[in-house]
Amino acid sequence: MADIDCVHRTVHLWNGSSRNDPLTPAEIAARQIEAAHALVFPGQVSNDGHRRDDVAALASQLNSDALLVRPTGPDETEMELPPSLIQPAACGIADEWRAQLEPVTVPRSRRDSDHGVNSVLWRARRPLHPERLADALGTVMCGVVRSRGHLWLSSRPDSVVTWRSAGPHLELREAGSWLKAGAQHAWDAVSPQRRTLASWFWHDYYGERRNEITFTGIDLDAQRIRSTLAAALLTDAELSLGRDGRTSTPDPLLSDGDPP
């Protein structure tokens, strides 16, 4: 990510938590890539021998909508950007920013692999057991460069728990509540994208609750990731214990209300 020289039209992300919360350089780079409309990559090969094509492949997996630009000319200072990027239309920008701030995000997952870089999308419609999830992290995160999504933890049934990792750092954070039927004010306050997703995935009993994470890395094993996470979901017997039984599950991930 350090090989990316320019991010065009980034979005300043803030989810209501302290603006002084520390972010790792890798997390900052990942967020800039995901919010960008265009990414500029000089040269095919950097001074230290790393191929820029590999970096472009990673950026394209993280943000398939971004325009990838390579400067031209002998000194690599000339480039052409579409007028829509230089002078963007005002309409739609507010909704775009609101969507970037949502804890329940629109997944970005490409099915193809480029230079060995691939993405795996995992979804599940039952809560995760916090202890089993904690035990599974070492297996799930092997080879993952970036992952992003949201969780439905049995210990936090009313909270959207965001999942963000960049490099070796993983952050889990309670970030708002799941939408409820009839709570019109809450529905009006979220982005159109989230309302669409909530309506699409709505369940009469669970509402919009679900797990959804996109993992990006090098030669990721989709079957290994999905089967390991599936084993961390609550079983039918655990679900039958009801809400009180599910919420009493020990939670090593968010036991103090803060991310690990």
Side-chain angles (χ1 to χ4, degrees):
M1 293 180 181
D3 289 331
I4 296 174
D5 282 10
C6 174
V7 179
H8 185 62
R9 282 186 63 201
T10 63
V11 176
H12 179 70
L13 298 177
W14 180 58
N15 63 0
S17 57
S18 171
R19 293 174 186 260
N20 296 321
D21 287 349
L23 295 177
T24 66
E27 178 66 29
I28 293 172
R31 292 191 184 197
Q32 289 181 329
I33 292 170
E34 291 162 350
H37 287 71
L39 299 163
V40 179
F41 298 85
Q44 294 293 324
V45 182
S46 62
N47 293 333
D48 60 3
H50 292 164
R51 293 195 59 83
R52 297 293 168 86
D53 284 345
D54 296 340
V55 181
L58 174 59
S60 182
Q61 285 284 341
L62 295 179
N63 186 352
S64 59
D65 295 330
L67 175 66
L68 303 184
V69 180
R70 293 190 185 278
T72 59
D75 56 357
E76 295 187 342
T77 58
E78 301 175 9
M79 69 184 73
E80 293 185 7
L81 293 176
S84 60
L85 289 175
I86 299 172
Q87 293 181 329
C91 60
I93 288 190
D95 286 341
E96 182 180 342
W97 282 34
R98 288 173 67 190
Q100 290 284 347
L101 295 171
E102 287 286 6
V104 178
T105 58
V106 178
R108 288 180 174 178
S109 176
R110 292 180 52 176
R111 295 185 179 182
D112 60 331
S113 176
D114 186 12
H115 290 261
V117 180
N118 66 317
S119 294
V120 176
L121 174 62
W122 176 72
R123 285 189 177 121
R125 201 54 191 271
R126 63 172 62 197
L128 280 157
H129 190 288
E131 284 188 322
R132 291 202 293 272
L133 176 59
D135 292 340
L137 289 179
T139 301
V140 169
M141 300 303 290
C142 182
V144 173
V145 176
R146 172 63 164 169
S147 60
R148 183 184 178 191
H150 56 270
L151 302 178
W152 173 18
L153 289 180
S154 63
S155 56
R156 300 288 191 276
D158 297 322
S159 298
V160 180
V161 177
T162 56
W163 168 300
R164 290 180 184 269
S165 79
H169 179 76
L170 170 65
E171 178 192 78
L172 302 181
R173 181 185 296 275
E174 289 189 87
S177 302
W178 298 106
L179 294 174
K180 298 178 181 179
Q184 191 60 45
H185 178 73
W187 284 74
D188 292 341
V190 302
S191 67
Q193 290 90 333
R194 181 172 176 185
R195 289 197 296 269
T196 299
L197 284 173
S199 299
W200 182 266
F201 289 104
W202 193 260
H203 186 281
D204 288 341
Y205 184 74
Y206 295 129
E208 69 163 340
R209 291 177 178 85
R210 67 187 189 281
N211 302 288
E212 189 168 75
I213 309 172
T214 300
F215 300 89
T216 300
I218 308 298
D219 295 325
L220 296 182
D221 186 335
Q223 179 60 32
R224 172 179 56 82
I225 292 174
R226 289 171 178 151
S227 62
T228 302
L229 287 171
L233 295 170
L234 261 61
T235 64
D236 291 342
E238 289 168 333
L239 283 173
S240 69
L241 297 176
R243 180 185 175 95
D244 291 341
R246 296 194 296 267
T247 56
S248 63
T249 305
D251 186 351
L253 297 171
L254 295 172
S255 56
D256 295 323
D258 295 317

